[in-house]
Amino acid sequence: MIIIFAVFLLTLLVITAIAIVRAENLFVAVMLMAIFSLLMAANFFILDAADVALTEAAIGAGVTTVIFLGALSLTAENEKKVELSRGVAMSIVTATTLLLIYATFEKPKLGDPEAPVHQHVAPWYLSETPKLIDIPNVVTAVLGSFRAYDTLGEVFVVFTACIGVLFLLSAKNPADKQSRRTPPESIGLRHHLIPKVVGRLLFPFIVLFGLYVQFHGEYGPGGGFQAGAIIATGIILFALLEGEKTALAAVPHSVMMAMVAGGALLYTMVGVVTMFMGGNFLDYSVLSSNPVFGQQMGIILIEAGVGITVCGALLAIFHAFAARENY
Amino acid sequence: MLEQVLYVLSWIMLTVGGFFVLVGGIGALRLPNFYTRMHAASVTDTIATFLVLGGLLLQAGLTIATVKLIAILVFLLLTGPTASYALANAALLSGVKSNATFRKVNGKGSKSGAGQETSVNQETDASQETSASQENNEEQSK
């Protein structure tokens, strides 16, 4: 039954991908990409990867769509016609496709217990998590503690990406200094009463759900990445409804920058503190006299750091797009 | 006895809900213009969601899943119609006419008035007739 669902969803994914490539209107392409992300999230969920599904739904279908639309409002609506011949591209794509299909023949079957991925470190994680960390969600344990270096790297990727986007978008075009009028975004959806009322009603619940995902990550699917994205979605919704100015008054640029840097700093500082207390970098066991409690404390702290950085980075990127008049 | 009644009722709700999803899908594909299509799609948002989630609620019994399902139901019943309204409002403001027919399903032609007259000739017979009648309507309204 699950296999039927999975095949159905994967077929829809392929159809959506083809539709994205064929779409000439870029708004249509962005909407199709949101659908693609949602289908992907459903697929992840079928494969029991609830944490990844949550991330994909929040970031892929939610925040990315808004940021893409913000980028589109700065450029053209339709795809540029390319006059180049497509023969080379088609042959490369065909060759890669055939190679990938050939590679799948060697792959183990779905859910095969003999698959290498289930033989390597996964059994150790599953058997040791209750003893060493004692939290029900093994994914959070792996992400936050066993593989904390990887997660630290991911946080710095988000951090660096945010800095890069802000650098690119804050470059001013000297030609249009005179045309500094009030951007249309600052009006918000003044004339759209119903979305505004419903949005105001939902906004606190979205943020509350984000906090739940943040601090419930040890027990259920969730954690810093998902929570940061959900809270950022809530604040972006607020910005869309009330206007960019009101949102910036609530969360000013200085706060966003402090969040982007502070989250990554908090993560690193946890590692430095564990070193000072006699352990290895990011070995939380030394944080408390009870090593299990120390591990839990460390995971909560670094997850908070991840959430703060992700939320700040997404907000900063959104506002960077919204603040520009033209490209 | 009560359990069986609930079971049957839940499956009736699920089936009718599925039927409305199907109707919404067919409507979104087959109906002639933007607003009627949106109307069909919003059927999926409201009555179908209500019936499917209601059916699941009856199956879940009184557990924590029930509370979550109710939360999802309330969320969808608030956001679905709002999204439909926002879509219709945006279409109205950007000048989509209610008597303008879609000429192609995947919309290669632009919806603007200028492109409409030039691209009419390239369309199939059926849409030519509808476009022609629509032009008549526009003339009459003027």
Side-chain angles (χ1 to χ4, degrees):
Chain A
M1 193 63 196
I2 288 296
I3 293 290
I4 298 173
F5 266 129
V7 168
F8 176 67
L9 282 174
L10 286 173
T11 316
L12 281 181
L13 267 180
V14 173
I15 293 171
T16 317
I18 294 171
I20 292 172
V21 174
R22 289 188 58 87
E24 279 167 16
N25 187 313
L26 293 175
F27 278 106
V28 174
V30 168
M31 286 303 137
L32 285 170
M33 277 170 78
I35 294 173
F36 186 89
S37 284
L38 265 186
L39 288 171
M40 205 67 210
N43 232 320
F44 285 141
F45 193 76
I46 281 182
L47 296 173
D48 279 342
D51 292 77
V52 192
L54 201 52
T55 317
E56 181 71 40
I59 296 185
V63 184
T64 320
T65 309
V66 177
I67 291 177
F68 267 135
L69 289 178
L72 270 188
S73 72
L74 300 174
T75 60
E77 192 183 325
N78 283 305
E79 201 174 47
K80 246 185 206 164
K81 283 272 175 278
V82 184
E83 298 299 327
L84 292 171
S85 79
R86 293 187 169 179
V88 183
M90 279 305 281
S91 55
I92 291 175
V93 167
T94 314
T96 318
T97 311
L98 290 177
L99 200 69
L100 284 174
I101 289 173
Y102 174 71
T104 58
F105 294 147
E106 292 284 308
K107 270 186 65 186
K109 279 193 174 160
L110 178 67
D112 182 7
E114 299 300 317
V117 67
H118 298 306
Q119 299 294 316
H120 188 47
V121 284
W124 188 84
Y125 288 149
L126 286 174
S127 66
E128 295 303 305
T129 298
K131 273 181 249 165
L132 293 177
I133 305 179
D134 196 25
I135 57 172
N137 188 355
V138 183
V139 175
T140 304
V142 172
L143 190 119
S145 180
F146 294 127
R147 314 210 57 154
Y149 279 27
D150 293 2
T151 314
L152 182 64
E154 283 166 34
V155 170
F156 275 98
V157 166
V158 172
F159 178 68
T160 321
C162 178
I163 291 176
V165 171
L166 293 187
F167 259 123
L168 282 175
L169 287 178
S170 61
K172 286 221 163 39
N173 188 350
D176 52 50
K177 244 177 195 164
Q178 275 78 25
S179 68
R180 201 79 198 150
R181 57 203 151 72
T182 39
E185 287 93 340
S186 64
I187 304 164
L189 296 177
R190 187 178 292 160
H191 304 295
H192 301 256
L193 188 62
I194 294 175
K196 207 165 174 175
V197 168
V198 176
R200 274 184 187 160
L201 193 70
L202 291 178
F203 171 67
F205 291 102
I206 295 174
V207 175
L208 189 69
F209 180 66
L211 289 173
Y212 166 80
V213 168
Q214 169 81 55
F215 293 108
H216 204 256
E218 284 82 30
Y219 303 98
F225 288 101
Q226 295 91 334
I230 291 170
I231 295 175
T233 317
I235 299 175
I236 288 173
L237 176 70
F238 180 77
L240 291 176
L241 295 175
E242 306 284 337
E244 200 204 339
K245 230 182 226 168
T246 324
L248 275 179
V251 188
H253 270 298
S254 54
V255 174
M256 275 187 266
M257 291 303 114
M259 280 167 79
V260 175
L265 193 69
L266 174 65
Y267 199 139
T268 322
M269 285 317 286
V270 172
V272 173
V273 166
T274 56
M275 277 167 82
F276 275 125
M277 291 176 79
N280 287 326
F281 187 64
L282 293 172
D283 173 16
Y284 316 126
S285 302
V286 292
L287 283 176
S288 160
S289 53
N290 178 0
V292 172
F293 183 67
Q295 286 282 350
Q296 292 174 350
M297 204 163 79
I299 289 179
I300 286 177
L301 281 173
I302 64 119
E303 288 276 14
V306 173
I308 291 167
T309 294
V310 170
C311 183
L314 291 173
L315 285 179
I317 292 172
F318 168 73
H319 280 299
F321 275 113
R324 285 196 57 105
E325 284 174 53
N326 50 18
Y327 55 101
Chain B
M1 181 61 202
L2 183 71
E3 224 168 71
Q4 278 161 343
V5 171
L6 282 182
Y7 189 76
V8 171
L9 200 64
S10 88
W11 273 107
I12 290 173
M13 284 175 88
L14 285 175
T15 315
V16 178
F19 170 74
F20 275 115
V21 172
L22 194 69
V23 166
I26 293 172
L29 279 175
R30 301 280 306 170
L31 284 174
N33 65 48
F34 177 79
Y35 294 100
T36 47
R37 285 176 171 204
M38 222 195 61
H39 166 70
S42 64
V43 166
T44 323
D45 276 351
T46 48
I47 184 82
T49 314
F50 185 77
L51 284 171
V52 169
L53 284 175
L56 290 175
L57 270 175
L58 292 182
Q59 293 226 336
L62 272 177
T63 53
I64 188 77
T66 328
V67 183
K68 288 178 183 171
L69 279 171
I70 290 173
I72 295 171
L73 186 63
V74 169
F75 185 80
L76 286 178
L77 283 184
L78 277 174
T79 51
T82 311
S84 299
Y85 163 80
L87 197 62
N89 201 354
L92 195 67
L93 287 180
S94 66
V96 178
K97 297 255 172 60
S98 65
N99 56 3
T101 46
F102 272 87
R103 296 179 314 281
K104 269 191 176 178
V105 174
N106 45 16
K108 263 198 175 172
S110 67
K111 270 164 252 162
S112 61
Q116 221 159 23
E117 285 160 12
T118 52
S119 59
V120 161
N121 296 333
Q122 299 153 7
E123 305 303 324
T124 57
D125 293 350
S127 61
Q128 251 181 8
E129 283 172 20
T130 47
S131 316
S133 67
Q134 160 219 331
E135 277 172 16
N136 290 337
N137 285 345
E138 277 175 9
E139 280 169 15
Q140 281 167 11
S141 64
K142 276 168 200 165

